[in-house]
Amino acid sequence: MPVTSESDPSTPQARRRANTDARLREALGVLAKDPSATLTVAGLARAAGVGRNIIYTHHAGVLDALRELQLQREGASETAAGEADRTRATLHDAIAKNIALATHNASLLKRAVEAEQRAERLERRNAQLVQELDRIRRPVPIRTSAEAPDPTAA
């Protein structure tokens, strides 16, 4: 009986290992496309329909590919988190500026209302002064002593 190696594709063990490797890589591709899928050895084994120990003992290449995919996802999530932090900071800055502008606008509005009230008061006072000035400027008839009314006649 000739001795065959496990790497020989003609042996049942080699074909089984090749089929398992193909199923693992296919499952890895499915997991890579699904952003909500958890990238774990258990998840990969479940998706491929094999046991975890098979991956650890006979498919180190698939295990390395899984780890690389995990690192890529972590980098992408860190990038997304950094972008979210920057967006959040920009939003907080915009909110703070809006609050500052609203406060400034409120103070300007208050000053404008006070100025209008002051202008109305000054207009009323001006009208009073104009009336008093007109009264003062009216000619006063000068009466002679003969035309003077008798204080006792009243």
Side-chain angles (χ1 to χ4, degrees):
M1 175 167 168
V3 177
T4 60
S5 70
E6 243 181 61
S7 62
D8 183 13
S10 62
T11 66
Q13 295 87 0
R15 285 193 300 270
R16 189 171 46 242
R17 187 174 289 174
N19 288 339
T20 303
D21 193 69
R23 286 185 5 219
L24 284 169
R25 293 198 182 274
E26 182 180 330
L28 187 61
V30 170
L31 290 176
K33 290 177 184 174
D34 184 10
S36 64
T38 57
L39 297 176
T40 61
V41 175
L44 177 61
R46 206 172 14 259
V50 298
R52 283 185 328 199
N53 288 339
I54 294 294
I55 297 171
Y56 289 119
T57 56
H58 298 292
H59 300 283
V62 174
L63 188 59
D64 291 339
L66 177 67
R67 287 184 182 138
E68 185 176 322
L69 188 58
Q70 287 172 334
L71 289 175
Q72 287 174 358
R73 281 238 181 123
E74 287 174 8
S77 67
E78 287 175 6
T79 302
E83 183 65 29
D85 288 342
R86 284 190 295 281
T87 303
R88 196 173 297 111
T90 303
L91 179 63
H92 286 298
D93 289 344
I95 289 171
K97 286 178 183 178
N98 280 345
I99 290 171
L101 286 174
T103 303
H104 185 67
N105 285 346
S107 68
L108 289 177
L109 180 63
K110 181 180 176 189
R111 288 174 55 191
V113 168
E114 289 171 352
E116 287 176 357
Q117 291 172 346
R118 191 170 43 251
E120 288 175 7
R121 282 195 310 269
L122 290 174
E123 286 176 4
R124 285 194 301 270
R125 179 65 179 143
N126 189 34
Q128 290 172 349
L129 291 174
V130 167
Q131 286 176 352
E132 189 177 329
L133 189 58
D134 284 346
R135 188 181 52 79
I136 291 173
R137 287 187 177 166
R138 271 190 238 138
V140 177
I142 301 178
R143 297 189 184 162
T144 59
S145 59
E147 296 175 6
D150 186 16
T152 58

